[in-house]
Amino acid sequence: MRHVIALDVGGTGMKAALVGDDGALLHRARRATGREHGPDAVVEGILGFAAELRAHGVEHFGEPAAAAGVAVPGIVDEKRGTAVYAANLGWRDVPLRALLADRLGVPVALGHDVRTGGLAEGRIGAGRGADRFLFVALGTGIAGAIGLDGRVESGAHGFAGEIGHVVVRPRGVPCPCGQRGCLERYGSAAAVGEAWAAASGDPEADAAGCAKAVTSGDPNAVRIWHEAVDALADGMVTALTLLDPRTLIIGGGLAEAGEVLFTPLRDAVRRRVTFQKLPSLVPAALGDTAGCLGAGLLAQDLLTTATAAAAAPTTATTAEVSN
C-alpha cells in the first residue's frame, strides 16, 4: 500500500502519521522532542523517529514510505530544505531535508509548522474550496499562512505570513523581535494570559481562564479581552487589505474560546472595513492534527510533481511524432 510519512515537530513533542494515497491515516505515533538534551539530540531523535515510521510501513503495509513531509518551528528555508533557526529547539542551519532523505532513501519535503498547518486547513479543513485564504494561529505567538490556489506562499526569504509582527500599537509594548507594539504582544494567547494573570493576581492564570471570566462578566477580564480583540481586528484588517483573502481561518489556543472570541472579532473587523471585501471569518477545523496532516500533503505533493515530471518527456515525444 503506497503511503507517505508525515511528521510534525513541536517544541516539546512530535506527532507523526503514515498517510495513504486517499488521505487515510494508516498509523499514528507520538514522541517527546527531547529538547532538554540539546539540538543535536533533537535532530537525531527526528531521524530515528522517521526511520521507525519507515520500518512500520515495511512491516505492516509491505513497502516503505514513498516520500516524507516534515513540519518544524522557527525560521525555515523550504527551498533549500534547511531548518534555519528555532529558539525553542536551539538549532541553527540544520540541513534537515538532506539528512532525512539520506536516512530514509526517499524524497523529503520540509515546511514551516504554521504554514504547513495552514496548508491542511486550506485544502482539507476550514478553508476547503477557497482559492485564497489566510490562516492565523493565535498561540504563544501569532503566525499566519497565506493560501493561494491550493498552496501556501513562503515568500522570497521564508518570512511570509508573520502577521504577529505587524505593528498595531506604534511605540507600544517592546517585542523580542526588536519592534514595539507588535500584534502578538496584544492578541496572542500568551499576551492575554499574562495580562489576566497580572489583573487577577493569580500567576497560574491563562487565556482560557480569562475567556471563562469574560462569560461571567468580570470587568477586568472583559477589558483585557476587548483590548486583545481590538488589536486582532486591527491586524486582520491590515492583512485583508493587503491580501484580499476569501476566507480568514483563525486557529491556535485563543480560538478555543469559540464564540467568546469569534463574535466580537467578526464585529470588530466589520466595523473597520471600508472599501475592502469582508472575508468569511471561521474557526480552524483540524486542531492540533493540522501540522501532521499538512506534512502528509507536502509529501504527497512531491510524488505528484515527480509523476508529472516523469510523464512530461513522453508527452513531448508524442507531440513531436504527431507533428
Side-chain angles (χ1 to χ4, degrees):
M1 180 183 295
R2 196 172 84 156
H3 60 279
V4 298
I5 292 170
L7 182 55
D8 179 20
V9 179
T12 57
M14 297 185 281
K15 296 182 286 290
L18 298 181
V19 184
D21 275 351
D22 60 354
L25 297 178
L26 307 175
H27 170 68
R28 299 189 199 192
R30 290 179 181 249
R31 175 180 288 187
T33 304
R35 63 179 180 178
E36 66 274 14
H37 302 299
D40 291 343
V42 171
V43 172
E44 189 52 45
I46 293 169
L47 298 177
F49 194 19
E52 288 179 17
L53 292 163
R54 180 187 186 280
H56 185 93
V58 172
E59 180 179 354
H60 293 274
F61 306 115
E63 59 181 300
V70 184
V72 298
I75 300 170
V76 182
D77 186 332
E78 290 153 339
K79 292 183 176 66
R80 291 173 51 228
T82 303
V84 178
Y85 174 69
N88 56 356
L89 296 177
W91 63 29
R92 288 183 181 272
D93 297 319
V94 179
L96 198 54
R97 183 176 65 195
L99 292 172
L100 280 162
D102 184 61
R103 181 69 65 96
L104 299 173
V106 297
V108 176
L110 181 69
H112 179 273
D113 57 352
V114 174
R115 288 196 291 267
T116 302
L119 176 68
E121 284 289 353
R123 283 199 201 170
I124 61 177
R128 183 197 294 264
D131 56 345
R132 299 288 189 276
F133 70 88
L134 175 64
F135 169 69
V136 180
L138 309 176
T140 303
I142 298 178
I146 302 166
L148 305 169
D149 293 324
R151 65 181 182 85
V152 169
E153 174 59 44
S154 60
H157 308 96
F159 295 115
E162 288 293 345
I163 188 173
H165 296 291
V166 169
V167 174
V168 294
R169 300 291 179 266
R171 297 177 297 280
V173 177
C175 180
C177 79
Q179 300 184 118
R180 300 181 71 95
C182 288
L183 175 59
E184 70 176 41
R185 298 302 299 140
Y186 298 88
S188 65
V192 171
E194 289 171 12
W196 177 233
S200 65
D202 178 5
E204 301 301 317
D206 58 12
C210 185
K212 186 176 180 179
V214 168
T215 63
S216 65
D218 183 288
N220 281 325
V222 170
R223 173 183 55 80
I224 291 165
W225 201 258
H226 177 76
E227 290 172 355
V229 167
D230 269 358
L232 287 169
D234 288 341
M236 297 305 107
V237 171
T238 296
L240 68 89
T241 302
L242 289 171
L243 302 173
D244 188 26
R246 199 171 306 278
T247 304
L248 177 54
I249 306 165
I250 307 293
L254 204 63
E256 293 175 7
E259 288 306 313
V260 175
L261 174 67
F262 284 93
T263 296
L265 182 57
R266 289 188 186 105
D267 289 343
V269 170
R270 189 178 297 111
R271 288 195 305 270
R272 284 163 170 76
V273 298
T274 54
F275 66 90
Q276 305 94 331
K277 294 295 185 182
L278 196 66
S280 299
L281 198 161
V282 298
L286 303 177
D288 70 353
T289 66
C292 193
L293 291 169
L297 292 174
L298 290 178
Q300 289 168 337
D301 285 353
L302 283 179
L303 299 178
T304 300
T305 302
T307 300
T314 303
T315 303
T317 302
T318 302
E320 288 168 7
V321 170
S322 64
N323 289 334

